[in-house]
Amino acid sequence: AQVLSGGRGLGTFKNGFKGGVHMVTKPGQAREFAAAMLGNELVTKQAPNGIVCNKVLLMERMYMRREMYLSILMDRGSQGPLLVASP
């Protein structure tokens, strides 16, 4: 569900459908899930009154071979950037 609210995955639609983020394996499933979302209001912690879902985003699943982490922080001690990485 493409709505401007955080917590879409944990949200619930007012029609009873659970969650605004789903992974499907068949095209028919995508059609069913989209039909349950489109035109209905998604209730989240940030939007307790609900937001109407007018768009859904479909994308191909990507399989990661490796996961890496990289961050640039500001180190107060040296008053400069600090690079943190994990292979």
Side-chain angles (χ1 to χ4, degrees):
Q2 287 294 103
V3 296
L4 189 59
S5 178
R8 293 184 307 267
L10 297 175
T12 302
F13 285 89
K14 287 189 176 179
N15 65 357
F17 188 69
K18 303 269 189 216
V21 178
H22 294 274
M23 291 179 61
V24 297
T25 56
K26 298 178 180 140
Q29 274 184 312
R31 186 175 288 115
E32 290 173 23
F33 282 44
M37 292 181 195
L38 289 169
N40 292 300
E41 291 185 41
L42 179 61
V43 177
T44 66
K45 287 184 179 182
Q46 287 186 359
N49 295 330
I51 298 178
V52 177
C53 176
N54 294 318
K55 297 178 185 177
V56 293
L57 174 67
L58 299 175
M59 60 184 291
E60 181 181 355
R61 182 176 179 182
M62 304 295 288
Y63 292 95
M64 294 186 289
R65 284 183 250 162
R66 283 184 9 179
E67 186 172 342
M68 297 186 286
Y69 177 81
L70 176 67
S71 176
I72 301 174
L73 308 168
M74 196 61 167
D75 182 30
R76 290 183 184 177
S78 65
Q79 298 209 354
L82 175 69
L83 201 65
V84 177
S86 88

